Amino acid sequence: MTNTQTYTVSSRIDDRGDIARIRFSPKSGGQIIPFTAGAHIDIYLPDVDLWRQYSLCSDPAETGFYEIGVLKDPNSRGGSTAVHRLATEGAEFKVEGPRNHFPLDETATQTVLLGGGIGVTPMIAMAKRLHALGKDFVLHYCTRSEEVTAFKDDLDGSDFADKIVYHFDDQDDSQRLDLAQDLPAPDPDTHLYVCGPQGFMDWVIGAAEGAGHVPANVHREYFSAEVELSGDSFEVECAQSGITVTIGPNDTIAKALAKEGLKIDVKCEEGVCGTCITDVLSGEIDHRDQFLTEDEREDGDQLCACCSRGKGKLVLDI
């Protein structure tokens, strides 16, 4: 069941690199809904009519507020610029969640966190939790330069500052991230977590799995993705509602069904958040998302209706 609440911006810091650090507190007072490291919240931006997901960087032990970091990205579809414009102190927002599709395995004996740019936000929450548990971990934080490295002052003053390794693109090669040296040897009890731009993530994931780390131990969260939505037409039958539609070359399952009055909740429209996951009863799926794991794709029983397509005919359990 959707849990929508109203939160107020209780503070905002405009940090380095055009990143706004924003704290949300319950409008009605009291405590936030508890969350675990790796979780995100969904924020509704009314003037652009968009829901957007932002990873929480605050301490999971915090009970009074959620904190996010938002990069003002001129190439975004309007979400980040809207947040920067609207999220002034005292402003109210509809918030859903928290949800966690990127959970931290707290049983690991060794954890490596790899954040690229604004992708460091969930890593900060994970680092705080791992430190509280007394776990062995390291946080690799990669940015273009020290001048655009948000959170650095707080991280340098944290109790786990000695666990943080910075990598800046504009400095010499000796301090840049070297996956051949910086990744530990594969081990069943070693877990890797990566978040950042798609190219950065693909590089890290490919290198880690190529070095022998099993996919189940290489955790990833995409905050955006380049997705090709078009393709050959195909048919979708909805078993429960009795609706059958043809999805055209430039349409999506979610949009085509919405025209028939069957609404599937959609948030990111890029296949990264998992909101629109829909059960599939039969048919061959053309997965376009970055949310499902390879094992989940091979099961062939669910898809992201915002972007994935079918080959021939799909029967959905809706």
Side-chain angles (χ1 to χ4, degrees):
M1 184 173 68
T2 300
N3 181 14
T4 303
Q5 297 188 335
T6 300
Y7 279 75
T8 301
V9 176
S10 52
S11 72
R12 170 175 170 165
I13 297 173
D14 289 304
D15 208 336
R16 311 177 193 186
D18 225 358
I19 291 173
R21 294 169 51 188
I22 305 161
R23 290 183 176 180
F24 294 92
S25 300
K27 178 185 177 182
S28 57
Q31 297 185 350
I32 61 173
I33 299 172
F35 70 97
T36 52
H40 70 271
I41 53 175
D42 299 348
I43 298 174
Y44 181 63
L45 306 170
D47 65 337
V48 288
D49 191 26
L50 292 173
W51 283 93
R52 286 294 176 261
Q53 298 73 41
Y54 295 100
S55 296
L56 296 172
C57 58
S58 39
D59 192 331
E62 175 60 51
T63 61
F65 61 83
Y66 299 124
E67 182 175 347
I68 63 173
V70 182
L71 169 67
K72 188 177 183 180
D73 184 356
N75 298 317
S76 78
R77 293 172 295 146
S80 70
T81 54
V83 172
H84 274 249
R85 182 175 66 255
L86 298 173
T88 56
E89 287 194 23
E92 296 179 0
F93 288 84
K94 291 180 180 178
V95 174
E96 292 184 359
R99 300 182 178 90
N100 199 340
H101 301 309
F102 191 41
L104 178 65
D105 187 334
E106 297 181 354
T107 67
T109 57
Q110 183 179 27
T111 302
V112 180
L113 310 172
L114 300 113
I118 194 60
V120 77
T121 49
M123 305 303 170
I124 294 174
M126 290 181 177
K128 291 175 178 177
R129 177 60 178 165
L130 291 166
H131 176 72
L133 293 172
K135 291 288 188 173
D136 181 16
F137 75 95
V138 61
L139 167 57
H140 292 278
Y141 185 7
C142 304
T143 66
R144 297 191 309 276
S145 69
E146 184 173 357
E147 287 67 34
V148 298
T149 303
F151 304 99
K152 189 173 187 300
D153 294 339
D154 285 0
L155 290 173
D156 286 346
S158 70
D159 293 335
F160 52 86
D162 61 329
K163 302 284 190 179
I164 303 168
V165 182
Y166 296 101
H167 305 278
F168 305 124
D169 290 347
D170 64 350
Q171 295 188 14
D172 62 88
D173 291 345
S174 64
Q175 57 79 57
R176 293 185 183 180
L177 182 64
D178 183 345
L179 296 176
Q181 295 183 13
D182 293 328
L183 292 182
D187 185 275
D189 294 321
T190 294
H191 286 250
L192 315 180
Y193 296 80
V194 57
C195 184
Q198 184 169 355
F200 171 80
M201 293 185 62
D202 291 344
W203 171 55
V204 173
I205 293 166
E209 294 183 356
H213 292 272
V214 296
N217 284 17
V218 183
H219 311 273
R220 75 281 321 260
E221 182 171 66
Y222 289 85
F223 56 78
S224 66
E226 296 179 6
V227 57
E228 175 56 56
L229 299 176
S230 62
D232 294 337
S233 297
F234 61 100
E235 191 174 76
V236 166
E237 176 186 336
C238 302
Q240 293 185 36
S241 59
I243 293 173
T244 298
V245 296
T246 297
I247 313 299
N250 297 306
D251 215 346
T252 68
I253 295 172
K255 289 180 179 178
L257 292 179
K259 295 173 186 175
E260 300 297 321
L262 186 56
K263 181 173 172 22
I264 296 175
D265 285 339
V266 172
K267 295 283 180 65
C268 73
E269 301 179 283
E270 295 180 326
V272 297
C273 76
T275 301
C276 66
I277 289 290
T278 304
D279 290 335
V280 179
L281 297 176
S282 65
E284 184 178 356
I285 305 168
D286 178 7
H287 291 286
R288 305 288 182 91
D289 67 282
Q290 296 286 1
F291 180 78
L292 296 173
T293 66
E294 288 302 319
D295 286 344
E296 289 170 333
R297 291 185 178 197
E298 289 176 6
D299 288 340
D301 58 1
Q302 56 185 340
L303 57 69
C304 286
C306 73
C307 62
S308 292
R309 304 182 67 81
K311 299 178 180 178
K313 179 180 180 179
L314 294 177
V315 179
L316 307 183
D317 189 19
I318 54 176

